[in-house]
Amino acid sequence: MSDDIPPSTNASKKGWLVKVSQLFQGEPQNREDLVDVIHDAELREVISEDTREMIKGVLEVSDLRVRDIMIPRAQIVALQIDNTVEELLSTVIGSAHSRFPVVNEDKDHIEGILLAKDLLQYGFKNSEKPFELGQVIRPAVVVPESKRVDVLLKEFRSQRYHMAIVVDEYGGVSGLVTIEDILEEIVGDIEDEFDHDSAEETEIKQISKQVFMVKALTPVDDFNDAFATQFSDEEFDTVGGLVSHAFGHLPERDEKVMIDGIEFTVVNADTRRLIQLRVKFPDKTVSETTS
């Protein structure tokens, strides 16, 4: 039968098969080949460097587990279920986050998630309704450390939530993860209006008549000038160093210590240093702070 097919038809079939074969020979066979193709595309200016990095980020995310990108337990800024509106507002303003885990006693007992916007109607004496934090918090989503990051991103999008509490194999809270954490793995650091160099940020912010948010790196001299205190700067250069020494250990969030009648509360800290403090003065007039 093949003898009956004109030579031109055979040549046409052969040419089509060659083209198909060449097409599939150029396909990447594994991830390394795919990365090479992406790199080659950048060299040939088919894609930009930023696009190449984003594609690589997408590929790498599929290998990550939640434990690889989560915010560790020690760095979680949490709220106590029995905090007053004033205490909640001072923490919200000081940390500049938009979502907060709400705990009962410690971080292993998560009651829910508070969105900062849900608190606004009760703050600054805007509402005469009695305030109960338990009525405004939202359910917390809990995920295991071993969960794949790409799967979690899909759940974030489909179920429309932005934060999840991470637990270890024993059920204890080991950290938290947000949709922003995942996106930063893909596109790099995402800065917003609150992300500035520390040198440009105000070191001391007044929350109420007697309460101030103070950066732990505030020099002791600046603190003394702002509040007419007389702490020595011979042994410690910063307020954080002064407070850590008073504790006798590196404190965790919500730990308090009294120094010369002034109450220092840890608002934010990581495993190595203090970051933010809430300073409450005795019920007397405090000197005006720098803006």
Side-chain angles (χ1 to χ4, degrees), residues 37-50:
V37 171
I38 295 169
H39 181 67
D40 182 62
E42 182 200 353
L43 293 177
R44 290 186 287 109
E45 298 185 351
V46 176
I47 61 174
S48 66
E49 180 182 356
D50 289 342

Side-chain angles (χ1 to χ4, degrees), residues 102-234:
V102 177
V103 304
N104 189 349
E105 295 184 1
D106 60 42
K107 292 174 182 176
D108 284 325
H109 298 84
I110 304 292
E111 297 290 332
I113 302 295
L114 174 69
L115 273 60
K117 65 178 183 179
D118 292 339
L119 185 65
L120 294 179
Q121 61 176 314
Y122 297 98
F124 310 106
K125 299 181 180 179
N126 288 332
S127 174
E128 297 180 356
K129 296 185 297 183
F131 172 75
E132 289 187 25
L133 184 53
Q135 294 181 352
V136 297
I137 60 176
R138 307 189 182 199
V141 176
V142 178
V143 299
E145 290 181 348
S146 58
K147 194 178 191 71
R148 281 174 43 184
V149 170
D150 57 342
V151 174
L152 179 60
L153 177 58
K154 184 177 180 180
E155 292 179 2
F156 273 149
R157 294 181 58 200
S158 64
Q159 300 179 29
R160 302 178 66 83
Y161 58 88
H162 294 77
M163 174 184 286
I165 304 299
V166 185
V167 295
D168 59 26
E169 58 185 312
Y170 303 105
V173 172
S174 56
L176 65 78
V177 62
T178 68
I179 192 171
E180 183 177 275
D181 296 325
I182 301 177
L183 294 178
E184 287 187 343
E185 290 294 325
I186 298 174
V187 302
D189 289 344
I190 301 172
E191 294 188 355
D192 58 25
E193 63 270 28
F194 298 108
D195 294 328
H196 305 288
D197 291 333
S198 58
E200 298 177 355
E201 293 183 350
T202 303
E203 294 178 330
I204 300 173
K205 296 179 182 178
Q206 186 163 7
I207 304 302
S208 66
K209 184 177 180 181
Q210 309 299 139
V211 179
F212 298 79
M213 300 300 297
V214 178
K215 286 186 169 298
L217 290 179
T218 302
V220 172
D221 279 346
D222 290 353
F223 188 90
N224 286 336
D225 290 343
F227 300 113
T229 51
Q230 297 181 348
F231 293 117
S232 173
D233 63 350
E234 293 183 2

Side-chain angles (χ1 to χ4, degrees), residues 9 18 20-21 29 58 92-93 155 166 188 215 242 245 288:
T9 304
V18 169
V20 172
S21 176
Q29 302 300 310
V58 171
V92 169
I93 294 171
E155 292 179 2
V166 185
K215 286 186 169 298
L242 176 72
H245 177 74
E288 192 173 307

Side-chain angles (χ1 to χ4, degrees), residues 16-32:
W16 180 81
L17 290 172
V18 169
K19 289 180 180 179
V20 172
S21 176
Q22 289 175 343
L23 177 65
F24 280 94
Q25 283 177 356
E27 286 190 352
Q29 302 300 310
N30 52 47
R31 179 171 296 185
E32 289 71 21

Side-chain angles (χ1 to χ4, degrees), residues 39-76:
H39 181 67
D40 182 62
E42 182 200 353
L43 293 177
R44 290 186 287 109
E45 298 185 351
V46 176
I47 61 174
S48 66
E49 180 182 356
D50 289 342
T51 302
R52 182 204 68 190
E53 290 301 315
M54 189 179 302
I55 296 173
K56 287 178 63 179
V58 171
L59 295 174
E60 291 168 358
V61 158
S62 63
D63 287 334
L64 296 176
R65 303 288 174 171
V66 170
R67 70 170 69 90
D68 299 319
I69 68 168
M70 69 181 186
I71 299 168
R73 177 189 176 107
Q75 296 181 31
I76 294 177

